[in-house]
Amino acid sequence: MGLRPVLLRRRMAGITSTSLALVLGVASVGLLPAAATTASPTTGSATAADVHADEVCEDGSDALARARGGEAKHDPNELTMAQLQQRESEFADLLQERAKRVGQRTLSAQAAAASVTIPVVVHVIQRDSTRAGGNIPDSMINSQISVLNQAFSGATGGASTAFAFQLQSINRVTNSAWYPIRQGTTAERQMKTQLRQGTKATLNIYLGALSNDLLGWATFPQTTLNVMDGVVVLSESLPGGTATNYNQGDTGTHEVGHWLNLYHTFQGGCSGQGDQVADTPAEASFASGCPTGRDTCPAPGLDPITNFMDYSYDSCMYQFTPGQATRMINAWNTYRA
């Protein structure tokens, strides 16, 4: 579908293009080298043993990761059927318990009227004080918060959700042991253990160079607060960054969608319940670029390439659906409120 007029106005207003950093895999699954897609700072040379984006974290929580470009033989961010069923069974039980307590009508009314402002704490992980060493300016972070607010309000052309985001603080940390940030490692756990702030309702965003050409990853909500909870995003994917095709802030949008309990639009392919949202058409696999008219499943509807939860370029993405908005507020009230 290309660039929507509303989105174009947003970018002309000075917010540079943001493409989401979807997980396509680790170094061993055929990713394009960073040089082919971006001029971002060095992201390290971790081996596949350093990052296992398809594994469940050592604490038992699921983690999603995304990478730039390339065709993956296996998408490590797509949950297995067993993982999906376990998460959805728990979610359904919790929703049912809450409906019994307050009544289904009250539950629906609360969801429809919900307005949630999420406090955001941003941790900038740096190797040194240079831009190449991760020291991005505050202006990029402020622009990222603006991108989140526009995306989740529906200002870019999608459904309005219940969520707004308010930056609480920027925490800058110079630590070469945490730079680049490596998903699933002891160093990541140490970093988050020392830095994470707030409650389950506080969004902690960790910015820096990432290993294995990844753009970002996120944790799903859980019933109890886990120190790993939060979102990790390549700093150069923020508005004004150097991650070509992924530098308008929608990597952050995508990862926050996961943090609020959304799956990829291509979860489950053409069969089953897919991403558990009825108004996102089934999609056999992730989209790359902006393939207008793509239709990979026999079920009605073209592939949702403009949805923030696909893998399209930032310039292609502009929307959440009403069904996704409902799922997010139900998950918020269940896990994070």
Side-chain angles (χ1 to χ4, degrees), residues 25-153:
V26 294
S28 61
V29 295
L31 294 180
L32 291 177
T37 55
T38 180
S40 62
T42 301
T43 56
S45 56
T47 64
D50 294 315
V51 180
H52 298 283
D54 56 337
E55 291 184 356
V56 174
C57 294
E58 56 186 274
D59 56 25
S61 63
D62 298 311
L64 304 178
R66 304 191 307 156
R68 289 165 294 197
E71 292 295 327
K73 297 176 182 177
H74 170 67
D75 180 358
N77 290 338
E78 188 170 1
L79 300 185
T80 66
M81 184 60 71
Q83 288 172 322
L84 182 72
Q85 290 174 344
Q86 181 179 358
R87 292 202 77 255
E88 289 307 297
S89 176
E90 177 194 70
F91 189 27
D93 289 345
L94 291 171
L95 283 173
Q96 187 174 34
E97 289 175 11
R98 187 161 175 267
K100 287 180 180 179
R101 290 197 306 269
V102 304
Q104 185 61 52
R105 183 172 296 180
T106 300
L107 195 67
S108 298
Q110 288 176 343
S115 178
V116 178
T117 299
I118 298 175
V120 181
V121 177
V122 174
H123 308 277
V124 180
I125 310 303
Q126 306 171 179
R127 181 182 60 210
D128 52 46
S129 61
T130 67
R131 172 71 178 268
N135 186 24
I136 61 171
D138 287 358
S139 59
M140 290 175 65
I141 297 169
N142 290 325
S143 291
Q144 178 65 70
I145 300 300
S146 295
V147 167
L148 290 177
N149 280 317
Q150 291 179 65
F152 282 84
S153 70

Side-chain angles (χ1 to χ4, degrees), residues 214-294:
L214 293 174
L215 288 163
W217 59 86
T219 55
F220 288 121
Q222 300 182 69
T223 53
T224 57
L225 178 61
N226 189 293
V227 71
M228 299 300 287
D229 180 77
V231 166
V232 178
V233 174
L234 176 71
S235 56
E236 293 295 343
S237 75
L238 270 60
T242 60
T244 304
N245 295 319
Y246 303 96
N247 59 353
Q248 296 174 21
D250 287 334
T251 291
T253 306
H254 177 100
E255 301 304 347
V256 173
H258 285 316
W259 189 76
L260 291 170
N261 211 37
L262 295 185
Y263 300 130
H264 294 133
T265 53
F266 49 87
Q267 172 67 44
C270 297
S271 60
Q273 297 296 313
D275 65 352
Q276 309 296 306
V277 179
D279 59 2
T280 55
E283 185 177 24
S285 60
F286 63 82
S288 180
C290 193
T292 302
R294 185 175 188 254

Side-chain angles (χ1 to χ4, degrees), residues 11-32:
R11 287 163 184 161
M12 289 177 66
I15 300 179
T16 51
S17 82
T18 67
S19 6
L20 300 181
L22 309 173
V23 222
L24 305 188
V26 294
S28 61
V29 295
L31 294 180
L32 291 177

